[in-house]
Amino acid sequence: MNDGQREQLKVAISTRIDEIREEIASLEESTRPVAPDVSIGRLTRMDAIVNKSVSEAGLQSARANLIQLQRALETADDPDFGECEECLKPIATGRLLAMPETTLCVACAAAAENDG
Ligand SMILES: [Zn+2]
């Protein structure tokens, strides 16, 4: 990876972090406790409870994703950043741009998926 690609990647990671922060903020809105007998437009209370648990799951994964992205941004200047932690080959820059939190190359990620 050259310096230009590294800079591009850091910008991409920062953008993703901003997006995820917004997503977390809006999910936090929808995971507020559901008040009893509250009228929520056409939604029933049961719908609201179901939506809330879906939002909670989304919130958890968004928070985990945020931590991964922040770690990626912190380590982006390390010489070995962008190396596959499995086979130690460089991960394709396109893949890193698309999912900066990845620590596996395409081949190893596919192998890991087949395993599990
Ligand atoms: Zn690999």
Side-chain angles (χ1 to χ4, degrees):
M1 185 185 311
N2 63 38
D3 286 351
Q5 287 171 323
R6 201 180 288 267
E7 281 311 308
Q8 199 187 352
L9 190 60
K10 279 155 79 173
V11 171
I13 296 172
S14 305
T15 307
R16 281 285 293 276
I17 287 176
D18 287 347
E19 285 169 2
I20 298 234
R21 282 204 175 121
E22 273 177 35
E23 193 184 324
I24 288 173
S26 91
L27 283 168
E28 277 171 349
E29 276 296 294
S30 40
T31 52
R32 283 188 185 160
V34 179
D37 301 324
V38 75
S39 167
I40 322 171
R42 280 153 52 199
L43 287 182
T44 64
R45 179 171 155 75
M46 194 49 76
D47 285 334
I49 290 169
V50 170
N51 286 348
K52 180 168 155 1
S53 65
V54 169
S55 298
E56 274 165 0
L59 188 57
Q60 272 188 0
S61 76
R63 281 183 176 145
N65 199 214
L66 179 63
I67 290 168
Q68 289 176 319
L69 285 164
Q70 284 171 330
R71 194 174 302 148
L73 191 59
E74 277 167 20
T75 55
D77 285 317
D78 292 356
D80 61 356
F81 178 77
E83 269 179 15
C84 173
E85 68 179 15
E86 201 58 43
C87 67
L88 304 181
K89 286 178 191 159
I91 301 171
T93 310
R95 175 172 168 79
L96 282 172
L97 283 171
M99 36 187 310
E101 66 275 32
T102 192
T103 54
L104 294 174
C105 72
V106 179
C108 293
E113 244 170 60
N114 289 339
D115 281 351

